[in-house]
Amino acid sequence: MTKKKAPIKVRSVWISDVHLGFRGCQAEALLHFLHSVETDYLFLVGDIVDFWSIKKSPYWPQEHTNVIRSILGKAKHGTKVIYIPGNHDEALRDCAGHVFGNLEIHLDYIHTTADGKKLLIMHGDEFDVIVKHSRLIAKLGNAAYDTLLWLNRYFNGMRKFFGYSYWSLAAYLKLKVKNAVSFISSFEKALARMASDRSVDGVVCGHIHHAEMREIDSILYCNDGDWVESCTTLFEHYDGSLELVSWTEKFEQYKNVEDMIAAKRAA
């Protein structure tokens, strides 16, 4: 029997773009993450549930229910959960201002770190011109992205078969397209300007599935990434320092150990 590792203890955790209800959601990796971390604050920065995908093609395996249960379990045991809906779960924006036990729903939120910095937290789709002004184009783009993630899943199945680790084909291609790189840069600058206008020290967002932490015109820009392509999260430690973390390698190590244990039991 393997010894259970002590949980990682941090002050705050940010996750976004989980897309529960979408076949590309890496719910098993997220569950492993949630079971491995204890936090005072858990920020759900939009697109946690993908109502667009559910409406188009209903899909909801047990792992997706388990993610919801794990989040609610944390809220029940003292973690303050702040849910900021995105464009894929925008129906929940009608519930902004409501409090359900230790879970609150907000359109955006200002969090003060342990060292006194103020961070504006928002999903970020408000700054995506395509999403804001043309839902049809956005949904066509979403369909193309779904296809790319479907290819990504099979591509990584082959990599695993030959002993290679997970690598996001979708993220690689996105960063090779000039227009996509230009869009990401414009998006980041727009969020930084908004944070400056709100007189805060930084901004934390999601939406574009591109994890990043950098300073833009004296504003700290943080994007916590996603749980479809990269399995990334943002931590605030108890001294107020922030850390962008990729969970892919940790989850692969866990799965390798589980596979070894299963093989020994079957022998």
Side-chain angles (χ1 to χ4, degrees):
M1 184 179 291
T2 57
K3 186 178 179 181
K4 188 176 180 180
K5 291 184 178 180
I8 299 168
K9 296 184 179 183
V10 292
R11 186 169 184 261
S12 306
V13 167
W14 288 265
I15 60 173
S16 72
D17 299 274
V18 174
H19 292 276
L20 295 171
F22 170 57
R23 293 179 187 277
C25 168
Q26 298 200 44
E28 192 178 357
L30 179 56
L31 272 172
H32 177 248
F33 168 74
L34 292 170
H35 294 161
S36 302
V37 174
E38 290 183 3
T39 180
D40 299 344
Y41 299 91
L42 174 60
F43 294 98
L44 308 175
V45 194
D47 288 1
I48 304 304
V49 179
D50 192 336
F51 290 114
W52 290 15
S53 184
I54 293 169
K55 186 176 181 180
K56 181 177 65 177
S57 177
Y59 174 76
W60 193 274
Q62 183 61 44
E63 290 85 355
H64 293 207
T65 298
N66 292 344
V67 168
I68 299 293
R69 285 178 174 172
S70 182
I71 290 169
L72 294 177
K74 287 185 179 296
K76 182 179 179 180
H77 291 97
T79 296
K80 185 173 182 178
V81 180
I82 306 293
Y83 194 147
I84 299 165
N87 51 305
H88 284 256
D89 48 12
E90 64 185 348
L92 295 176
R93 286 174 170 163
D94 292 338
C95 299
H98 287 66
V99 178
F100 305 94
N102 217 20
L103 187 151
E104 303 177 10
I105 300 178
H106 296 269
L107 295 179
D108 58 43
Y109 190 86
I110 293 180
H111 170 69
T112 303
T113 63
D115 58 352
K117 291 185 177 66
K118 292 190 180 298
L119 302 176
L120 172 64
I121 305 166
M122 59 195 309
H123 181 63
D125 62 290
E126 301 92 334
F127 296 89
D128 185 337
V129 175
I130 292 175
V131 170
K132 189 173 182 180
H133 295 292
S134 178
R135 293 182 64 85
L136 176 61
I137 293 175
K139 289 188 176 183
L140 288 173
N142 193 63
Y145 183 61
D146 289 354
T147 302
L148 181 56
L149 290 174
W150 179 81
L151 291 171
N152 191 67
R153 193 158 63 247
Y154 283 94
F155 174 75
N156 275 286
M158 292 294 293
R159 284 180 63 87
K160 185 175 182 180
F161 178 79
F162 288 107
Y164 294 100
S165 61
Y166 179 85
W167 181 72
S168 179
L169 173 65
Y172 173 78
L173 292 177
K174 187 164 61 178
L175 291 178
K176 286 295 181 183
V177 177
K178 185 178 180 180
N179 287 343
V181 174
S182 176
F183 165 74
I184 290 170
S185 176
S186 298
F187 177 87
E188 293 173 344
K189 290 176 181 176
L191 267 291
R193 282 196 298 271
M194 168 60 78
S196 180
D197 291 344
R198 295 279 292 269
S199 299
V200 295
D201 301 293
V203 59
V204 180
C205 63
H207 185 54
I208 60 172
H209 295 208
H210 180 67
E212 183 68 88
M213 185 164 64
R214 66 189 183 97
E215 194 168 285
I216 302 174
D217 298 329
S218 301
I219 294 292
L220 180 62
Y221 169 86
C222 302
N223 190 306
D224 58 27
D226 67 280
W227 289 83
V228 175
E229 297 174 38
S230 60
C231 297
T232 47
T233 180
L234 181 68
F235 284 165
E236 178 201 354
H237 296 285
Y238 281 101
D239 62 357
S241 62
L242 301 176
E243 180 187 8
L244 199 57
V245 176
S246 172
W247 201 255
T248 302
E249 186 176 340
K250 292 181 178 64
F251 179 62
E252 286 185 347
Q253 290 171 351
Y254 161 78
K255 287 294 290 180
N256 288 337
V257 170
E258 290 291 297
D259 290 346
M260 287 173 58
I261 292 171
K264 287 180 180 178
R265 287 174 179 168

